[in-house]
Amino acid sequence: MASQLVLFPELVAGFSPELAVNMRSLRFLSRAPYSSTYGFRLPSRRGRTLMCSDLSSQKWNVPVLSSNEVVERLKLAGEGKQFLAMYSSVVGGITTDPAAMVLPLDDHMVHRGHGVFDTAMIINGYLYELDQHLDRILRSASMSKIPLPFDRETIRTILIQTVSVSGCRDGSLRYWLSAGPGDFSLSPSQCPKPALYAIVYPKDFTVERKGVKVVTSSIPIKPPEFATVKSVNYLPNALSQMEAEAKGAFAGIWVDNDGFIAEGPNMNVAFVVNGGKELVMPRFDKVLSGCTAKRMIKLAEQLVSKGMLKSVRVVDMTVEDGKKADEMMLLGSGVLVKPVIQWDEELIADGKEGPITNALLDLLLEDMSSGPPSVRVLVP
């Protein structure tokens, strides 16, 4: 006997979304009440009303695409974006087609945030502080209980080759380690293999020496055990940045639970105090240990030897002390050395960019362009 498929516009508890009925049932349907909104109304044996509709009442607005159509649409969506090369351990290679630079939706990093990342600058064909950033992501992965898909040297080689294939001379290399694809469970127990992803994109490192305003962030800071891990969970960071921009500021500054200055949403903070003779930074045990900030401690020793500074220290510092500083600056691979001239409604010193901040920026720029092999890796 022939069957007819009857479809439900909405799932009804206790009934299947698809119902095959024979000709006798179809005669019964011909006598059942019908509306364009609900379709047929069928009395059930359990005293409930079952609503279904025929195929002609369905309105499908979402197209079903072939793989070729998906690729073409991804190409259109990516127009204007300059992604030069991407490596994925899932496919086991590098692509230069932006439409192919995709992640599996079931990657534990995507749907659970179980992943870590880092970024290295590409300056005139050199990767700046690649090994320092690589050490940090491996440490973050260990703290996040993410096993490595390859050993350190293999990961390093993959990253360098990805930059080489991209042809990028000035830009950024961003890379991720994740628990990998598997399923949508909370635990990564069904993720058979961790994943490595990396992408290269151009970036203009034009230096802006103009001072900026910051505000005290009201967004709760990450707990110390998570703040020291560079994870992909940047929701607090994004909210802090949005709050700062809404107030006309460049960034927000976090204060820890003990009342000491912590860090910005994606940069460290430093101060010049004691009559402009001492460079101080918050301790790194409760904030992310910025590679640029740590390198700056080393570079600042040159200013000590020249007599411009007397010392460089890492200390606990209150907001009140910070606002009374002679100079304030933000440090990070994205901002390099950014002078801060106002915090909330209070000017820092005379509200002008300070000489130590500018001197430190000069040292960093010189280090990026002609520093030792320990901080500059040539891309073949």
Side-chain angles (χ1 to χ4, degrees):
M1 184 174 291
S3 295
Q4 173 73 28
L5 186 65
V6 181
L7 302 178
F8 299 87
E10 296 181 4
L11 291 180
V12 181
F15 295 96
S16 169
E18 295 183 354
L19 177 65
V21 295
N22 57 27
M23 293 302 294
R24 183 179 300 176
S25 298
L26 291 177
R27 286 195 295 271
F28 177 74
L29 285 176
S30 67
R31 297 191 296 270
Y34 174 84
S35 71
S36 59
T37 302
Y38 298 107
F40 295 104
R41 292 178 175 268
L42 305 179
S44 76
R45 295 180 179 179
R46 290 182 286 178
R48 301 178 58 188
T49 299
L50 172 61
M51 293 177 290
C52 60
S53 64
D54 59 13
L55 287 172
S56 62
S57 67
Q58 295 292 335
K59 295 180 179 179
W60 297 102
N61 297 319
V62 181
V64 178
L65 306 175
S66 68
S67 58
N68 289 336
E69 289 172 323
V70 170
V71 171
E72 289 303 315
R73 292 195 178 202
L74 285 173
K75 288 181 178 180
L76 290 175
E79 285 185 352
K81 296 180 181 179
Q82 291 185 292
F83 299 135
L84 304 179
M86 176 186 174
Y87 170 83
S88 168
S89 63
V90 174
V91 299
I94 300 169
T95 180
T96 57
D97 184 354
M101 299 178 186
V102 295
L103 300 181
L105 196 60
D106 64 340
D107 192 296
H108 216 238
M109 178 175 69
V110 176
H111 65 90
R112 296 296 181 184
H114 193 183
V116 295
F117 80 101
D118 222 305
T119 307
M121 291 183 289
I122 307 165
I123 307 295
N124 195 27
Y126 285 82
L127 277 161
Y128 184 67
E129 288 200 300
L130 172 63
D131 290 296
Q132 290 78 0
H133 285 276
L134 185 53
D135 288 340
R136 184 171 65 179
I137 194 175
L138 296 183
R139 185 169 62 252
S140 293
S142 176
M143 295 175 68
S144 303
K145 298 183 179 180
I146 298 173
L148 300 182
F150 313 106
D151 59 43
R152 184 189 187 280
E153 190 57 33
T154 300
I155 294 174
R156 186 179 189 271
T157 300
I158 289 171
L159 296 179
I160 293 174
Q161 289 183 358
T162 304
V163 176
S164 180
V165 169
S166 75
C168 183
R169 300 287 296 173
D170 294 283
S172 288
L173 165 69
R174 181 161 295 184
Y175 42 100
W176 297 260
L177 286 167
S178 93
D183 62 11
F184 292 101
S185 299
L186 183 61
S187 166
S189 60
Q190 299 304 311
C191 300
K193 188 176 180 180
L196 168 67
Y197 306 103
I199 195 164
V200 180
Y201 53 94
K203 184 174 181 180
D204 182 9
F205 290 104
T206 301
V207 176
E208 280 283 348
R209 295 180 184 266
K210 184 178 180 181
V212 297
K213 173 186 175 181
V214 297
V215 294
T216 304
S217 180
S218 67
I219 306 300
I221 190 173
K222 296 178 183 178
E225 60 269 25
F226 294 111
T228 56
V229 176
K230 197 169 177 66
S231 77
V232 297
N233 182 8
Y234 259 49
L235 180 58
N237 309 62
L239 293 175
S240 177
Q241 183 65 27
M242 292 168 65
E243 177 188 52
E245 292 174 356
K247 295 179 179 180
F250 182 80
I253 302 298
W254 269 319
V255 178
D256 68 23
N257 294 330
D258 296 319
F260 295 119
I261 298 169
E263 59 183 338
N266 64 342
M267 70 281 288
N268 292 102
V269 60
F271 302 87
V272 179
V273 298
N274 295 335
K277 292 299 182 180
E278 188 174 26
L279 178 67
V280 295
M281 295 184 193
R283 299 183 189 275
F284 294 119
D285 55 349
K286 296 182 180 180
V287 301
L288 188 68
S289 55
C291 294
T292 303
K294 295 172 74 174
R295 182 61 180 167
M296 191 57 65
I297 293 175
K298 182 69 175 178
L299 294 175
E301 294 175 359
Q302 298 181 43
L303 300 186
V304 175
S305 63
K306 293 178 181 180
M308 295 179 66
L309 288 173
K310 289 184 178 180
S311 64
V312 180
R313 294 193 301 143
V314 178
V315 299
D316 288 328
M317 194 171 187
T318 65
V319 174
E320 182 180 4
D321 290 338
K323 291 182 176 181
K324 291 179 180 179
D326 301 295
E327 297 181 38
M328 178 178 178
M329 67 197 80
L330 303 173
L331 307 171
S333 58
V335 297
L336 302 183
V337 182
K338 177 73 69 176
V340 176
I341 58 175
Q342 183 177 339
W343 188 347
D344 293 331
E345 302 307 318
E346 301 176 46
L347 295 179
I348 302 298
D350 60 359
K352 297 180 181 180
E353 299 80 8
I356 300 299
T357 302
N358 280 322
L360 290 173
L361 177 56
D362 290 336
L363 287 174
L364 181 61
L365 292 174
E366 181 182 357
D367 196 53
M368 291 164 58
S369 62
S370 58
S374 60
V375 296
R376 298 175 72 239
V377 176
L378 177 64
V379 178

